[in-house]
Amino acid sequence: MMGWSIEVGVSDLAQPDPPGAADVIDRRCGSSPCQQDADTKAFTGRGGAPAEVRRAQARVASIHHQQEDLSRLTRRVRGRTFYLAVHRRKDTGQVHLRWRAAGSGAHAGHIAWGAIHAHFAQIPGVLRAWYERIHRHAVELNRRELEARLALRHARERNS
C-alpha cells in the first residue's frame, strides 16, 4: 500500500518503564519532608491494605497503564490496517493486548499475529520492523500482567 507513514518514532518504544509507586510518592513530596505512608489502624483490622498488597496493586496498575499507552501508540500510525487493542476479561480481571484489524466490516475484529505477516509484503521494511518490536513488547507486557496479577492474588491470600 502506498502512503504509509508513522507519526511516532521507534525511539518512543524505548522509553523507560514508568516509575514505581515509591518514586511517585517521592516526587509529590518534593524537597519538603513527607509523612511516611502507614496503616493508621494496623492492629484493628480496619486499616488499609498491607504494604505488600499495595505494592502488588501498584505494579498491576502500572502494567495496565503501559498496555494502554502501547495501544494508543499503535492507533497513531497513519494508514494502519491493524492495531493493538486492550482486551479485558471480566471473569478473571485479565487485561491483555490483542491485535485487531482496523476499520469496520467483515475483516474487522481480532486478528492473530501470524495472520498479520501476510500484510507485511505491502508494508515498508522500517514500519514492518517497528510492528515486530511493538509485538514483542506487547507479548512481554501480557506476560508481566499475568505474573503481576498472580503476585497480587497471592499477596491478598497471605494477608486475609
Side-chain angles (χ1 to χ4, degrees), residues 101-118:
S104 60
H107 297 290
H110 294 290
I111 183 170
W113 175 250
I116 293 173
H117 282 288

Side-chain angles (χ1 to χ4, degrees), residues 11-76:
S11 62
D12 290 345
L13 182 58
Q15 295 295 321
D17 286 342
D23 295 336
V24 172
I25 291 169
D26 290 342
R27 248 187 263 130
R28 273 188 278 147
C29 295
S31 59
S32 64
C34 289
Q35 181 177 356
Q36 296 296 320
D37 287 340
D39 283 342
T40 56
K41 302 205 182 279
F43 300 109
T44 65
R46 292 179 286 169
E52 178 185 15
V53 174
R54 286 192 312 267
R55 281 192 302 271
Q57 288 170 329
R59 182 168 181 239
V60 170
S62 173
I63 292 168
H64 289 173
H65 181 71
Q66 291 174 58
Q67 289 174 316
E68 290 165 3
D69 287 346
L70 194 60
S71 174
R72 277 191 295 274
L73 184 68
T74 61
R75 290 171 189 260
R76 291 175 27 194

